[in-house]
Amino acid sequence: MNEWLTEFGMFVAQLLTLVVIGGLAVAVFLRVRGETGERTRLRLDELNGTRRYRRRRMQLAASQPGARKRLAKAFRRDDKEHDRRGRKGEGEASPTVWVLDFHGDIKASGTGQLAEEVSAVLAVAGQGDEVVIRLESAGGLVHGYGLAGAELDRLREAGLSTTVCVDKVAASGGYLMACAADQLRAAPFAVIGSIGVVAQLPNLHRLLKRHDIDVELLTAGRYKRTLTIFGENTEEGREKFLEDLETTHELFKRHVAERRPGLDIEAVATGEIWYGSDALTKGLVDGLGTSEAYLVERMQQAQVISLKLEQKHKLGDRLGMAVSRGVERSIERGLEMLDAGRWQKR
């Protein structure tokens, strides 16, 4: 018995050694691959095919059992005919609609990715192609969204037809980007506008003074600092700060007016927001409808391809994100159950 236990222990030790060695080898391989390989990958989704596949599944599910086999054969015949025409080059080549997505935060952090996606489209887009940007942003930093708007301007400058679709919000910097398109569409309750500039900061000078704390602010240049958080603000500083805000607002208005010349810019550049239907009346958008409805419509005449540049994550990063998502879902589920409990009868 003791001899058997000894042999079993040796077997387990050897197995563990092999597992550890294998794990180290995999870790080294993944590390080397992550350091030498490309950090991003281009994901392309042909939306026409996806929609056709889903429609066929729905047709099969809704048909009578006896008709499903005939319907499946008809689908296969259509696919063969489509492939035959493609090989022979029959028929006129349809234009391509390239679909980009931009979900902006306060810093417009996705601008770098957007710039690379725009470059990818410009490298292959042909005459008659269109670029659709599904945009969602409530705005943010002036320089961030100014750069994002400039990236979209590249499409117009290259002569490509551009359409921005707003399903939820394109306000402030988000609208600055949106008005770069030839056509701007919004869902009926999408938030549009907010052509204005805002800045705010706390001032702790009186609090610090009450506790006998002095803050020395040394500058070279009359307006190097206008308003500060810790120092004592002056009326001259406030006036200069407001002057800078007005200058930025004028640049914003000029940008929008140049790209939407039919818009009464003075009437809408008040910082107000409008919902989609009212925005259409004001001339802030050109049409109403969701991005999905527009893309389905375009699929009737064009090949629609969604393009996205994705970051490649290392194994450790993927595991960490998976754990994080699991924790987030658990918390959300718990909050939902607590909220639902408020409505249960006791």
Side-chain angles (χ1 to χ4, degrees), residues 274-308:
W274 292 270
Y275 291 109
S277 53
D278 291 333
L280 178 62
T281 303
K282 296 283 185 181
L284 290 160
V285 300
D286 302 303
L288 294 180
T290 66
S291 61
E292 178 69 12
Y294 182 71
L295 292 178
V296 169
E297 177 186 330
R298 295 295 291 122
M299 286 178 199
Q300 307 302 317
Q301 304 91 21
Q303 182 184 27
V304 181
I305 299 177
S306 172
L307 180 152
K308 185 175 183 180

Side-chain angles (χ1 to χ4, degrees), residues 9 39 56 66 89-90 150 188 200 208 218 232 253 285 308 340-341:
R39 290 298 183 91
R56 288 180 173 183
E90 297 178 3
Q200 61 181 353
L208 296 176
L218 306 177
E232 183 177 6
K253 289 160 59 177
V285 300
K308 185 175 183 180

Side-chain angles (χ1 to χ4, degrees), residues 179-321:
C179 69
D182 297 309
Q183 181 185 193
L184 175 51
R185 298 172 59 85
F189 284 92
V191 176
I192 303 294
S194 188
I195 304 174
V197 185
V198 63
Q200 61 181 353
L201 72 163
N203 183 261
L204 306 178
H205 174 70
R206 286 184 293 179
L207 175 64
L208 296 176
K209 187 176 181 180
R210 194 180 308 135
H211 291 82
D212 296 324
I213 300 174
D214 293 327
V215 175
E216 295 290 341
L217 179 63
L218 306 177
T219 63
R222 184 177 179 183
Y223 295 120
K224 182 61 179 177
R225 281 290 181 270
T226 52
L227 297 184
T228 72
I229 297 177
F230 300 110
E232 183 177 6
N233 291 320
T234 65
E235 196 59 39
E236 181 185 20
R238 292 188 186 91
E239 290 176 0
K240 177 57 179 172
F241 196 88
L242 287 171
E243 181 183 328
D244 292 341
L245 289 182
E246 289 294 337
T247 300
T248 306
H249 191 206
E250 288 299 322
L251 289 173
F252 192 173
K253 289 160 59 177
R254 189 188 313 162
H255 178 93
V256 174
E258 289 174 353
R259 288 153 182 78
R260 298 189 66 84
L263 186 64
D264 185 353
I265 190 64
E266 295 300 331
V268 297
T270 58
E272 297 174 80
I273 59 98
W274 292 270
Y275 291 109
S277 53
D278 291 333
L280 178 62
T281 303
K282 296 283 185 181
L284 290 160
V285 300
D286 302 303
L288 294 180
T290 66
S291 61
E292 178 69 12
Y294 182 71
L295 292 178
V296 169
E297 177 186 330
R298 295 295 291 122
M299 286 178 199
Q300 307 302 317
Q301 304 91 21
Q303 182 184 27
V304 181
I305 299 177
S306 172
L307 180 152
K308 185 175 183 180
L309 198 65
E310 296 180 333
Q311 293 289 331
K312 286 184 178 180
H313 297 287
K314 296 179 182 178
L315 179 61
D317 295 334
R318 292 198 296 270
L319 290 174
M321 288 188 293

